[in-house]
Amino acid sequence: MDSNASEDSLQVPRPQPLRLRSGGKGNTKPLEKSGPAQTLAKLSGDTDIEKLSQKLLPADGGPGAWKFLFAASMIEAFMLGLPLNYGVFQNYYFEHEPFRGDKNLATVGTLGTCFVLLGAPIATPIIERYPRWHREFIWLGWVVAMAGLASASFAQGTTTLIATQGFTYGVGVLIMYYPIIHMLNEWFVLRRGLALGIFSAATGISGLGMPFALEALLIRYGWRITLRITAIFLIFSCGPLIPLFKNRLPKNHRAKGAHTDYSFLKMSQFYLFSFATLLQGLGMYFPMIYLPSYASSLRLDPVVGAALLAVPSLSQIIGQVGFGFVSDLRIKNLFMDRRMPVHILAFISTFTAGICVFTLWGLARSLPTLVMFSFMFGIFGGGYVVLWARMVSRKPQAQEKGRKVVSCKNRDV
C-alpha cells in the first residue's frame, strides 16, 4: 500500500439497506427506515393508521372521554333509574284508584327494565349497520321515552299504564341505550371495565334520592302530576346532554353497512354466558320491585320502603365500580400473567347474591335484616352487569381485534 495515499482515497463500503423477500425469486424490497408507528402500520396493512392516530382524541382519558362518560352516566342515572325505582309507583298504584289491588301492575316495571336487558339481539345489529346515526338514535329514543311517560299520566287503567309507562318508555330507553354503549367502547379500551362500572353505578347514585323524591311527590300531588313533573325533569336534565355524545372515530373510518358476524353461535362459551346472564337478569330486579311492598306487608312506614330501595342503590355503586376495576386488573406472578378470569368474578357475584336472597331476605322479619340484605345484594348482584364487556372480549374476533390495537403517540387506535 502506497504510504502517500491519503485518507480520502480510502473507500469504506457503505452498509446496504436490509431487504425483505416478499414474493418470487429476486423480488426484494428495502425496509425503509421508519418509526415504530409506521412499521406497525405497514405490517398491519393499514397505511393510514398513523394519520388517523394523530387526528383521534386519546382513549381511556382526556376531556373528550370524561365528558362522554359524564353524559352517559347521567342518562343512565335518570332514564334507566326511573324504571328501576318503579317499586315506589307500584306501591302507590296498588293502594289507589283506578289501579287498586291490580296484580298486573308489576308488568309495568318489568317491561320498563327488560327491554334494555333483552333487546340487545334486535338493537345491536341495527346500531352496527348504521354507525353514522348513533346520535340520531339517541334523540329518537329520548323522544319516544318522554312521550310514553307523559301519556301514562292520562291512563284510565292498568292496560294503558302497561302500554305507556311500561312498553313505550322501555322501547325508548332501549333505542337510546345501545348507541351509547357502542360509543363508550370507542372512548375506552384498556379501562373499559372501570368505565362500564362508573356508567352502571350511575343508577345507584340516582337511587339514593329518586325514591324519596318520587314518594314525596306521590303523597303530595298524586300519580298523574308526579308523572308529568318527572317527564319535565327528564326533558330538561337529559335533553341538553345529548349533544355531548360524539363518536371518537371519524365517520369515514367506521364500518359502513357492516353485517353482524354470527360465528360466535358456534362457541360453547356464548351459550354458557348467555344462559347465566338470562338467569341473573330474571332475578336481579325482583328485590327492586317488591321491597317496598314487602316492607308494607311487615307494617313498616312507606318511607321505609323507599329507603330500602336507596340502600342497594348505594351499595351497587361500590359493587359495580369495584367489579369493573378488578376485571381490568392483570395477575402477575410466577405462574401466570393474565387478567382476572371473568368466570370467577361472575360466580362470586351470582353465588353471593343468591345466598343473600335465601338467607337474609328469606328470613327477614325486621328492618335491620332487610337493610343488611339490601346492602349485600346491591354489591354482589349489581356488580354482574359490568362483566359483560369481559364476556364479549372472550370471542376470538374480539381477541384478534385487541391484538391489532396500535399505540401511536399514546393514542390507541
Side-chain angles (χ1 to χ4, degrees):
M1 185 172 180
D2 189 359
S3 59
N4 295 326
S6 63
E7 290 185 359
D8 295 337
S9 64
L10 295 178
Q11 296 183 354
V12 180
R14 299 178 61 185
Q16 298 297 320
L18 178 64
R19 294 178 178 270
L20 297 177
R21 190 175 300 276
S22 62
K25 183 177 180 180
N27 184 16
T28 59
K29 295 181 180 180
L31 181 63
E32 299 177 0
K33 183 177 180 180
S34 62
Q38 295 89 338
T39 302
L40 288 173
K42 293 180 180 179
L43 292 176
S44 66
D46 186 359
T47 57
D48 295 331
I49 196 169
E50 183 189 8
K51 295 180 180 180
L52 175 61
S53 68
Q54 294 175 352
K55 297 179 181 179
L56 291 179
L57 295 173
D60 298 306
W66 294 121
K67 282 193 297 185
F68 172 85
L69 185 59
F70 169 77
S73 299
M74 291 300 99
I75 295 294
E76 171 85 357
F78 298 129
M79 297 297 295
L80 190 59
L82 182 62
L84 291 179
N85 289 284
Y86 171 73
V88 178
F89 279 103
Q90 178 178 289
N91 196 37
Y92 185 88
Y93 290 153
F94 195 79
E95 298 176 354
H96 294 80
E97 298 295 343
F99 317 108
R100 183 186 298 272
D102 196 323
K103 297 181 180 180
N104 294 320
L105 287 169
T107 306
V108 179
T110 302
L111 289 177
T113 56
C114 76
F115 278 107
V116 173
L117 300 176
L118 301 180
I122 299 175
T124 301
I126 298 175
I127 297 304
E128 291 183 349
R129 187 169 182 81
Y130 301 102
R132 293 172 177 261
W133 299 92
H134 283 169
R135 188 187 292 178
E136 286 73 14
F137 280 127
I138 297 174
W139 279 114
L140 175 62
W142 178 69
V143 171
V144 171
M146 294 302 96
L149 196 60
S151 300
S153 66
F154 298 97
Q156 299 297 327
T158 304
T159 303
T160 306
L161 206 63
I162 292 174
T164 53
Q165 189 177 359
F167 181 83
T168 305
Y169 186 87
V171 170
V173 175
L174 169 66
I175 298 173
M176 294 183 68
Y177 192 79
Y178 285 96
I180 294 175
I181 291 293
H182 197 281
M183 297 164 76
L184 185 143
N185 290 337
E186 293 182 10
W187 283 104
F188 292 89
V189 182
L190 299 178
R191 302 173 69 182
R192 186 171 297 165
L194 177 61
L196 189 59
I198 296 173
F199 171 70
S200 302
T203 54
I205 297 176
S206 67
L208 294 177
M210 187 174 290
F212 301 102
L214 293 175
E215 183 71 32
L217 289 172
L218 287 169
I219 293 174
R220 183 168 183 177
Y221 298 109
W223 62 275
R224 295 186 188 275
I225 300 299
T226 298
L227 286 173
R228 293 166 190 170
I229 292 175
T230 304
I232 294 173
F233 171 78
L234 293 178
I235 289 173
F236 287 99
S237 62
C238 297
L241 296 175
I242 297 179
L244 296 179
F245 290 107
K246 299 178 181 179
N247 289 88
R248 180 170 169 264
L249 295 177
K251 291 185 178 181
N252 58 338
H253 283 85
R254 297 181 220 154
K256 299 178 181 179
H259 294 278
T260 303
D261 183 5
Y262 291 100
S263 61
F264 63 87
L265 294 175
K266 301 178 181 179
M267 300 176 58
S268 60
Q269 290 180 349
F270 165 74
Y271 296 99
L272 176 63
F273 285 136
S274 297
F275 183 67
T277 301
L278 175 63
L279 293 181
Q280 196 272 346
L282 290 174
M284 172 61 195
Y285 297 103
F286 279 109
M288 306 300 181
I289 295 175
Y290 288 107
L291 270 176
S293 301
Y294 190 83
S296 297
S297 69
L298 297 179
R299 298 184 178 180
L300 298 175
D301 192 272
V303 178
V304 175
L308 288 174
L309 288 180
V311 173
S313 298
L314 171 63
S315 59
Q316 80 175 28
I317 299 173
I318 302 172
Q320 290 174 340
V321 175
F323 273 91
F325 177 78
V326 173
S327 69
D328 289 334
L329 292 180
R330 296 191 68 87
I331 302 175
K332 294 183 180 181
N333 52 41
L334 296 176
F335 304 100
M336 66 176 68
D337 182 5
R338 55 177 296 187
R339 298 171 77 180
M340 179 70 70
V342 65
H343 59 278
I344 294 179
L345 294 175
F347 174 79
I348 293 174
S349 171
T350 54
F351 180 79
T352 309
I355 292 298
C356 290
V357 172
F358 279 111
T359 56
L360 295 177
W361 195 14
L363 302 176
R365 295 295 182 270
S366 62
L367 180 59
T369 308
L370 282 177
V371 171
M372 179 61 68
F373 162 74
S374 300
F375 185 81
M376 297 297 294
F377 188 84
I379 291 179
F380 292 97
Y384 185 89
V385 65
V386 304
L387 302 177
W388 291 350
R390 283 289 311 281
M391 293 177 183
V392 174
S393 69
R394 293 176 68 87
K395 287 176 52 181
Q397 296 87 344
Q399 294 175 357
E400 182 65 22
K401 289 180 181 179
R403 284 192 287 267
K404 290 182 179 180
V405 173
V406 180
S407 181
C408 302
K409 296 182 180 179
N410 295 325
R411 289 180 171 87
D412 294 321
V413 180

